[in-house]
Amino acid sequence: MSCGDHHETSCSEVLARVYTYLDGELDEGGCGEVREHLDECGPCLREFGLEEAVKRLVKKGCECEAAPDDLRAKVLGRIEQICVELKQTDGSAPA
């Protein structure tokens, strides 16, 4: 996704890191980059709001159960794979 405007941090990079941001797992610099981008990019802010709402709903429905370790590892592995694919796609796009 891209809004078409130039940003210090690309839309796809921000959206790839949005769950890490929501989980509070980004360092202070990463949080600042994401927050700055969301402050200036309406499409990403709307997407972030949707992701935040989904995360709250999932958390509410799953509060009493933790995900099994193997499921967590599979999900994190897939997220990492998608992030790599997104970076490759962004790198091949014309400037």
Side-chain angles (χ1 to χ4, degrees):
M1 170 191 182
S2 177
C3 66
D5 293 335
H6 173 74
H7 300 284
E8 195 70 31
T9 307
S10 71
C11 294
S12 59
E13 184 179 341
V14 167
L15 293 176
R17 294 170 27 189
V18 83
Y19 280 111
T20 308
Y21 175 78
L22 286 171
D23 288 341
E25 295 176 358
L26 285 179
D27 62 22
E28 190 172 318
C31 284
E33 289 174 359
V34 170
R35 176 52 51 204
E36 181 180 327
H37 183 95
L38 293 174
D39 285 345
E40 62 187 32
C41 183
C44 286
L45 183 59
R46 283 188 294 280
E47 183 75 18
F48 168 75
L50 175 64
E51 300 295 341
E52 187 176 34
V54 168
K55 186 169 176 59
R56 273 196 312 266
L57 286 172
V58 169
K59 182 178 180 182
K60 184 177 179 181
C62 300
E63 284 181 336
C64 58
E65 293 183 43
D69 290 338
D70 62 331
L71 174 61
R72 180 176 169 78
K74 286 178 185 177
V75 169
L76 291 174
R78 181 66 178 129
I79 290 171
E80 187 174 321
Q81 180 183 10
I82 290 170
C83 288
V84 168
E85 291 170 4
L86 285 172
K87 285 181 183 177
Q88 290 171 348
T89 301
D90 281 348
S92 65

